[in-house]
PDB file of all heavy atoms in Angstrom:
ATOM      1  N   LYS A 109     -79.001 -85.108  39.298  1.00 90.00           N
ATOM      2  CA  LYS A 109     -78.620 -85.761  40.624  1.00 90.00           C
ATOM      3  C   LYS A 109     -77.361 -86.560  40.463  1.00 90.00           C
ATOM      4  O   LYS A 109     -76.793 -87.032  41.448  1.00 90.00           O
ATOM      5  CB  LYS A 109     -79.741 -86.685  41.121  1.00 90.00           C
ATOM      6  CG  LYS A 109     -81.014 -85.802  41.486  1.00 90.00           C
ATOM      7  CD  LYS A 109     -82.037 -86.714  42.178  1.00 90.00           C
ATOM      8  CE  LYS A 109     -82.555 -87.918  41.277  1.00 90.00           C
ATOM      9  NZ  LYS A 109     -83.587 -88.655  41.904  1.00 90.00           N
ATOM     10  N   TYR A 110     -76.883 -86.756  39.212  1.00 92.00           N
ATOM     11  CA  TYR A 110     -75.829 -87.816  38.993  1.00 92.00           C
ATOM     12  C   TYR A 110     -74.557 -87.072  38.339  1.00 92.00           C
ATOM     13  O   TYR A 110     -74.735 -86.203  37.495  1.00 92.00           O
ATOM     14  CB  TYR A 110     -76.265 -88.925  38.151  1.00 92.00           C
ATOM     15  CG  TYR A 110     -77.222 -89.880  38.884  1.00 92.00           C
ATOM     16  CD1 TYR A 110     -78.536 -89.674  38.875  1.00 92.00           C
ATOM     17  CD2 TYR A 110     -76.674 -90.881  39.656  1.00 92.00           C
ATOM     18  CE1 TYR A 110     -79.442 -90.456  39.617  1.00 92.00           C
ATOM     19  CE2 TYR A 110     -77.498 -91.756  40.353  1.00 92.00           C
ATOM     20  CZ  TYR A 110     -78.892 -91.513  40.331  1.00 92.00           C
ATOM     21  OH  TYR A 110     -79.719 -92.323  41.015  1.00 92.00           O
ATOM     22  N   LEU A 111     -73.422 -87.620  38.666  1.00 87.00           N
ATOM     23  CA  LEU A 111     -72.184 -87.208  38.063  1.00 87.00           C
ATOM     24  C   LEU A 111     -71.752 -88.327  37.016  1.00 87.00           C
ATOM     25  O   LEU A 111     -71.665 -89.550  37.396  1.00 87.00           O
ATOM     26  CB  LEU A 111     -71.133 -87.085  39.141  1.00 87.00           C
ATOM     27  CG  LEU A 111     -69.687 -86.795  38.606  1.00 87.00           C
ATOM     28  CD1 LEU A 111     -69.617 -85.379  37.871  1.00 87.00           C
ATOM     29  CD2 LEU A 111     -68.682 -86.822  39.766  1.00 87.00           C
ATOM     30  N   SER A 112     -71.458 -87.975  35.754  1.00 86.00           N
ATOM     31  CA  SER A 112     -71.072 -88.861  34.748  1.00 86.00           C
ATOM     32  C   SER A 112     -69.595 -88.546  34.332  1.00 86.00           C
ATOM     33  O   SER A 112     -69.223 -87.443  34.114  1.00 86.00           O
ATOM     34  CB  SER A 112     -72.003 -88.798  33.532  1.00 86.00           C
ATOM     35  OG  SER A 112     -71.468 -89.588  32.483  1.00 86.00           O
ATOM     36  N   LEU A 113     -68.820 -89.658  34.213  1.00 84.00           N
ATOM     37  CA  LEU A 113     -67.365 -89.411  33.863  1.00 84.00           C
ATOM     38  C   LEU A 113     -67.041 -89.780  32.444  1.00 84.00           C
ATOM     39  O   LEU A 113     -65.968 -89.392  31.964  1.00 84.00           O
ATOM     40  CB  LEU A 113     -66.500 -90.154  34.869  1.00 84.00           C
ATOM     41  CG  LEU A 113     -66.593 -89.926  36.327  1.00 84.00           C
ATOM     42  CD1 LEU A 113     -65.622 -90.762  37.202  1.00 84.00           C
ATOM     43  CD2 LEU A 113     -66.308 -88.417  36.577  1.00 84.00           C
ATOM     44  N   GLN A 114     -67.913 -90.542  31.790  1.00 92.00           N
ATOM     45  CA  GLN A 114     -67.656 -90.922  30.411  1.00 92.00           C
ATOM     46  C   GLN A 114     -68.906 -91.419  29.714  1.00 92.00           C
ATOM     47  O   GLN A 114     -69.959 -91.463  30.330  1.00 92.00           O
ATOM     48  CB  GLN A 114     -66.583 -92.007  30.399  1.00 92.00           C
ATOM     49  CG  GLN A 114     -67.045 -93.303  30.921  1.00 92.00           C
ATOM     50  CD  GLN A 114     -65.952 -94.398  30.873  1.00 92.00           C
ATOM     51  OE1 GLN A 114     -65.067 -94.408  31.725  1.00 92.00           O
ATOM     52  NE2 GLN A 114     -66.044 -95.323  29.886  1.00 92.00           N
ATOM     53  N   ASP A 115     -68.841 -91.577  28.446  1.00 96.00           N
ATOM     54  CA  ASP A 115     -69.903 -92.013  27.628  1.00 96.00           C
ATOM     55  C   ASP A 115     -69.864 -93.565  27.579  1.00 96.00           C
ATOM     56  O   ASP A 115     -68.919 -94.135  27.033  1.00 96.00           O
ATOM     57  CB  ASP A 115     -69.822 -91.470  26.267  1.00 96.00           C
ATOM     58  CG  ASP A 115     -70.936 -91.964  25.356  1.00 96.00           C
ATOM     59  OD1 ASP A 115     -71.909 -92.510  25.864  1.00 96.00           O
ATOM     60  OD2 ASP A 115     -70.913 -91.646  24.104  1.00 96.00           O
ATOM     61  N   TYR A 116     -70.831 -94.220  28.062  1.00 97.00           N
ATOM     62  CA  TYR A 116     -70.916 -95.666  28.204  1.00 97.00           C
ATOM     63  C   TYR A 116     -71.761 -96.329  27.058  1.00 97.00           C
ATOM     64  O   TYR A 116     -72.009 -97.558  27.007  1.00 97.00           O
ATOM     65  CB  TYR A 116     -71.416 -96.122  29.560  1.00 97.00           C
ATOM     66  CG  TYR A 116     -70.553 -95.749  30.724  1.00 97.00           C
ATOM     67  CD1 TYR A 116     -70.864 -94.685  31.493  1.00 97.00           C
ATOM     68  CD2 TYR A 116     -69.430 -96.479  31.027  1.00 97.00           C
ATOM     69  CE1 TYR A 116     -70.104 -94.272  32.549  1.00 97.00           C
ATOM     70  CE2 TYR A 116     -68.665 -96.169  32.101  1.00 97.00           C
ATOM     71  CZ  TYR A 116     -68.966 -95.033  32.858  1.00 97.00           C
ATOM     72  OH  TYR A 116     -68.244 -94.676  33.959  1.00 97.00           O
ATOM     73  N   THR A 117     -72.456 -95.511  26.252  1.00 98.00           N
ATOM     74  CA  THR A 117     -73.435 -96.039  25.253  1.00 98.00           C
ATOM     75  C   THR A 117     -72.706 -97.003  24.373  1.00 98.00           C
ATOM     76  O   THR A 117     -71.529 -96.894  24.031  1.00 98.00           O
ATOM     77  CB  THR A 117     -74.044 -94.912  24.491  1.00 98.00           C
ATOM     78  OG1 THR A 117     -73.052 -94.146  23.884  1.00 98.00           O
ATOM     79  CG2 THR A 117     -74.918 -94.009  25.375  1.00 98.00           C
ATOM     80  N   ILE A 118     -73.493 -97.974  23.890  1.00 98.00           N
ATOM     81  CA  ILE A 118     -73.005 -99.089  23.014  1.00 98.00           C
ATOM     82  C   ILE A 118     -73.176 -98.702  21.505  1.00 98.00           C
ATOM     83  O   ILE A 118     -74.357 -98.315  21.174  1.00 98.00           O
ATOM     84  CB  ILE A 118     -73.657-100.444  23.301  1.00 98.00           C
ATOM     85  CG1 ILE A 118     -73.623-100.782  24.815  1.00 98.00           C
ATOM     86  CG2 ILE A 118     -73.179-101.569  22.455  1.00 98.00           C
ATOM     87  CD1 ILE A 118     -74.393-101.965  25.227  1.00 98.00           C
ATOM     88  N   PRO A 119     -72.239 -98.745  20.753  1.00 97.00           N
ATOM     89  CA  PRO A 119     -72.381 -98.480  19.252  1.00 97.00           C
ATOM     90  C   PRO A 119     -73.434 -99.378  18.649  1.00 97.00           C
ATOM     91  O   PRO A 119     -73.559-100.529  19.092  1.00 97.00           O
ATOM     92  CB  PRO A 119     -71.011 -98.710  18.692  1.00 97.00           C
ATOM     93  CG  PRO A 119     -70.066 -98.516  19.844  1.00 97.00           C
ATOM     94  CD  PRO A 119     -70.794 -99.137  21.081  1.00 97.00           C
ATOM     95  N   ASP A 120     -74.067 -98.844  17.629  1.00 94.00           N
ATOM     96  CA  ASP A 120     -75.147 -99.661  16.978  1.00 94.00           C
ATOM     97  C   ASP A 120     -74.624-100.920  16.313  1.00 94.00           C
ATOM     98  O   ASP A 120     -75.407-102.000  16.186  1.00 94.00           O
ATOM     99  CB  ASP A 120     -75.798 -98.769  15.828  1.00 94.00           C
ATOM    100  CG  ASP A 120     -76.699 -97.696  16.419  1.00 94.00           C
ATOM    101  OD1 ASP A 120     -77.061 -97.814  17.688  1.00 94.00           O
ATOM    102  OD2 ASP A 120     -76.958 -96.687  15.735  1.00 94.00           O
ATOM    103  N   ASP A 121     -73.434-100.899  15.890  1.00 95.00           N
ATOM    104  CA  ASP A 121     -72.835-102.130  15.135  1.00 95.00           C
ATOM    105  C   ASP A 121     -72.149-103.051  16.017  1.00 95.00           C
ATOM    106  O   ASP A 121     -71.505-104.014  15.639  1.00 95.00           O
ATOM    107  CB  ASP A 121     -71.929-101.713  14.012  1.00 95.00           C
ATOM    108  CG  ASP A 121     -70.728-100.895  14.591  1.00 95.00           C
ATOM    109  OD1 ASP A 121     -70.696-100.467  15.795  1.00 95.00           O
ATOM    110  OD2 ASP A 121     -69.819-100.622  13.789  1.00 95.00           O
ATOM    111  N   GLU A 122     -72.291-102.916  17.426  1.00 96.00           N
ATOM    112  CA  GLU A 122     -71.678-103.815  18.453  1.00 96.00           C
ATOM    113  C   GLU A 122     -72.316-105.116  18.402  1.00 96.00           C
ATOM    114  O   GLU A 122     -73.533-105.232  18.432  1.00 96.00           O
ATOM    115  CB  GLU A 122     -71.740-103.143  19.764  1.00 96.00           C
ATOM    116  CG  GLU A 122     -70.893-103.858  20.858  1.00 96.00           C
ATOM    117  CD  GLU A 122     -69.615-103.367  21.057  1.00 96.00           C
ATOM    118  OE1 GLU A 122     -69.219-102.338  20.435  1.00 96.00           O
ATOM    119  OE2 GLU A 122     -68.807-103.946  21.921  1.00 96.00           O
ATOM    120  N   ASP A 123     -71.561-106.211  18.319  1.00 97.00           N
ATOM    121  CA  ASP A 123     -72.016-107.588  18.505  1.00 97.00           C
ATOM    122  C   ASP A 123     -72.024-108.007  19.909  1.00 97.00           C
ATOM    123  O   ASP A 123     -71.064-108.522  20.456  1.00 97.00           O
ATOM    124  CB  ASP A 123     -71.204-108.564  17.649  1.00 97.00           C
ATOM    125  CG  ASP A 123     -71.797-109.896  17.478  1.00 97.00           C
ATOM    126  OD1 ASP A 123     -72.621-110.243  18.365  1.00 97.00           O
ATOM    127  OD2 ASP A 123     -71.455-110.600  16.537  1.00 97.00           O
TER     128      ASP A 123
END
Side-chain angles (χ1 to χ4, degrees):
K109 294 189 299 184
Y110 289 90
L111 174 67
S112 175
L113 299 181
Q114 67 181 80
D115 179 9
Y116 297 99
T117 53
I118 304 172
D120 288 340
D121 59 352
E122 185 95 2
D123 191 336

